[in-house]
Amino acid sequence: PDRTMLTNDPSITAWGWAVLDWQSNILKVGCIKTEGSQKKQRIRKGDDTVRRISEINRVLLRNIKHYNVTYILSELPHGSQNARAAVMIGVVAGIAQTISDTLGIGIEWYSENDAKKCLFGKKSVSKQEMIDKITELYEVPWTEVKYKDEGIADSLAIHYAAMEMSSTLRLLKNRNK
């Protein structure tokens, strides 16, 4: 395929993603689910976190290579209920930024609120409202698995916000026509 972009809703438990061409056609969507298993395997939390990072990296890198991804968009994770959640926010942001830096692929970060404001003009939106709105705007091959479709919808909401807000993307889109 020609040059493409990867858009992300990063999370250690359910990382939603989509690959699109520069005309906003969806080529592939997915949601990377990882589960903690340190108790079952009797390993340290840190070792289990590293295993989960590797699972996410493998899927993202395989798709970046297969679809010739030349630009990355990502939601910037935010908020946390506790220290463990705060660590995971740093981990998932680090995954996307490290892939960008290592492969020399540009990345832009957007907030969840950027996406909601671009799509709805407000900050408070339900998961189902997000899925319904994304269905109006994109031809999405939904999985019919609730958590997966929520992650995919959120990743596409970041794409929509980026296409609305980014002067860099507008330039790159025109160059890739």
Side-chain angles (χ1 to χ4, degrees):
D2 289 333
R3 299 148 65 93
T4 61
M5 65 182 81
L6 171 70
T7 186
N8 299 279
D9 175 38
S11 165
I12 195 77
T13 56
W15 184 301
W17 59 271
V19 177
L20 299 95
D21 66 19
W22 286 90
Q23 288 67 50
S24 298
N25 299 306
I26 296 171
L27 304 175
K28 180 90 172 175
V29 298
C31 186
I32 308 161
K33 182 172 180 61
T34 69
E35 295 184 38
S37 63
Q38 78 269 2
K39 288 180 181 157
K40 281 186 251 168
Q41 296 179 357
R42 294 194 158 143
I43 58 174
R44 295 185 310 244
K45 267 188 193 177
D47 293 337
D48 195 47
T49 300
V50 170
R51 175 193 57 80
R52 293 170 79 181
I53 291 167
S54 282
E55 285 180 32
I56 293 165
N57 285 341
R58 278 193 298 278
V59 173
L60 295 177
L61 290 168
R62 181 174 57 241
N63 283 291
I64 287 168
K65 182 177 180 182
H66 184 268
Y67 290 99
N68 190 30
V69 169
T70 57
Y71 211 71
I72 299 172
L73 306 170
S74 188
E75 180 181 306
L76 186 60
H78 65 283
S80 67
Q81 298 82 29
N82 57 48
R84 180 88 179 128
V87 167
M88 291 304 117
I89 287 170
V91 164
V92 298
I95 290 170
Q97 188 65 51
T98 300
I99 287 173
S100 166
D101 292 344
T102 304
L103 298 178
I105 299 172
I107 188 168
E108 289 187 28
W109 296 93
Y110 294 87
S111 73
E112 180 181 3
N113 285 339
D114 290 335
K116 289 177 180 178
K117 280 185 178 177
C118 283
L119 286 161
F120 297 94
K122 60 183 183 177
K123 290 181 185 178
S124 182
V125 177
S126 74
K127 293 285 190 184
Q128 190 58 52
E129 286 175 304
M130 183 63 79
I131 289 171
D132 293 344
K133 186 67 161 180
I134 293 301
T135 299
E136 291 173 22
L137 298 168
Y138 297 88
E139 288 187 38
V140 184
W142 297 114
T143 68
E144 305 303 325
V145 176
K146 189 174 190 271
Y147 79 87
K148 288 182 180 182
D149 288 345
E150 290 171 355
I152 292 164
D154 288 349
S155 75
L156 289 166
I158 293 301
H159 175 265
Y160 185 85
M163 296 309 284
E164 292 288 308
M165 298 172 70
S166 172
S167 55
T168 302
L169 278 183
R170 278 192 291 279
L171 285 170
L172 289 171
K173 182 178 180 181
N174 289 334
R175 195 169 45 158
N176 281 293
K177 280 186 178 176

